[in-house]
Amino acid sequence: MIKFFKIIVLLEGISLLALLFFAMPMKYFFSQPIFVKYIGMAHGILFILYISLAILLKLEQKWDLKKFAIICLASLIPFGTFYIEKKYL
């Protein structure tokens, strides 16, 4: 399951960056909100999957609360998931 989580970590990080640095500028500078709709939906699904898998892995791998909190909070910060993938996985 850790391999699948690594894939989701990378995809979630890429989707957050695409949302922040592509879709949002397209919406506000070029009046093209359609990108936010689709990239935002993909990011939302990946975020839910990321948190769900983190909870399952916390129980399976017996992560302490600090490690689990850092892994969950990193999903909110741009480039945070890439740091998690290198440091904790």
Side-chain angles (χ1 to χ4, degrees), residues 11-78:
L11 291 175
E12 199 278 333
I14 291 168
S15 72
L16 177 60
L17 294 177
L19 185 63
L20 292 176
F21 298 114
F22 175 71
M24 297 300 283
M26 290 300 288
K27 178 180 179 178
Y28 290 111
F29 297 129
F30 301 107
S31 299
Q32 297 290 324
I34 194 74
F35 295 106
V36 173
K37 180 179 178 180
Y38 293 113
I39 295 173
M41 176 64 76
H43 172 67
I45 291 168
L46 288 167
F47 177 77
I48 291 169
L49 193 55
Y50 177 94
I51 296 297
S52 300
L53 287 172
I55 292 168
L56 290 174
L57 281 170
K58 180 195 183 308
L59 300 173
E60 183 182 285
Q61 302 284 321
K62 299 188 183 356
W63 291 342
D64 62 353
L65 188 58
K66 180 182 175 184
K67 182 177 181 178
F68 175 68
I70 290 170
I71 288 172
C72 288
L73 290 174
S75 67
L76 303 174
I77 302 167

